[in-house]
């Protein structure tokens, strides 16, 4: 069973003055999957339902999920396919790869909301790789 980290009510509270849109529940599900992907390797205590037990962690994941759901809505890219290209031409058919993907060694993606990443990073939930010399 998939865990959804935020409800429509949580999204309404997060957005404050922005109305919730049709399809928001689906976007919260997609956002929860994205947040799960970002949290691979993160260490925090969970209960029997695999939900965080620390209220600080729960709140951060909920806010990050809301930010990601809003990002999915605003970007209009539910599949992540648009993050791969910068332009598409219909006449004579053509496309351009995303400059970040083409030029960056880090392969930075615009799949994730900057706000979601910030929330998880500042709450120390994004796993980091320790580098030793």
């Amino acid at each position: 069973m998939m865990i959804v980290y935020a409800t429509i009510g949580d999204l309404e509270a997060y957005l404050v003055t922005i109305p919730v849109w049709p399809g928001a529940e689906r976007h919260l599900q997609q956002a929860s999957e994205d947040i799960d992907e970002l949290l691979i390797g993160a260490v925090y205590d969970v209960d029997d339902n695999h939900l965080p037990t620390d209220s600080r962690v729960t709140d951060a994941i909920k806010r990050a999920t809301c930010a990601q759901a809003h990002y999915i809505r605003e970007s209009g890219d539910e599949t992540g396919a648009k993050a791969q290209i910068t332009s598409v031409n219909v006449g004579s058919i053509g496309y351009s790869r995303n400059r970040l993907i083409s030029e960056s060694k880090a392969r930075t993606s615009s799949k994730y909301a900057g706000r979601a990443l910030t929330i998880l990073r500042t709450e120390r939930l994004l796993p980091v790789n320790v580098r030793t010399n």
Side-chain angles (χ1 to χ4, degrees), residues 52-116:
T53 56
D54 183 322
S55 60
R56 180 191 61 82
V57 173
T58 300
D59 182 62
I61 292 173
K62 184 187 310 180
R63 288 184 295 122
T65 301
C66 290
Q68 183 67 17
H70 187 232
Y71 180 77
I72 291 168
R73 158 73 169 158
E74 291 300 305
S75 71
D77 190 12
E78 293 187 27
T79 66
K82 290 180 184 176
Q84 301 297 316
I85 57 176
T86 56
S87 66
V88 176
N89 300 320
V90 177
S92 300
I93 303 176
Y95 75 96
S96 299
R97 290 195 55 89
N98 184 313
R99 183 179 53 82
L100 293 175
I101 292 171
S102 300
E103 297 174 7
S104 172
K105 290 181 182 176
R107 302 284 188 215
T108 304
S109 173
S110 59
K111 176 181 178 179
Y112 304 110
R115 174 61 42 210

Side-chain angles (χ1 to χ4, degrees), residues 4-5 14 21 25 42 45 48 55 62 70 72 74-75 81 83 86-87 100 108 117 122 126 128 130-131:
V4 179
Y5 294 114
Y14 178 82
W21 56 92
E25 197 165 322
D45 293 328
D48 292 337
S55 60
K62 184 187 310 180
H70 187 232
I72 291 168
E74 291 300 305
S75 71
T86 56
S87 66
L100 293 175
T108 304
L117 293 170
T122 58
L126 281 184
V128 294
V130 177
R131 182 176 162 188

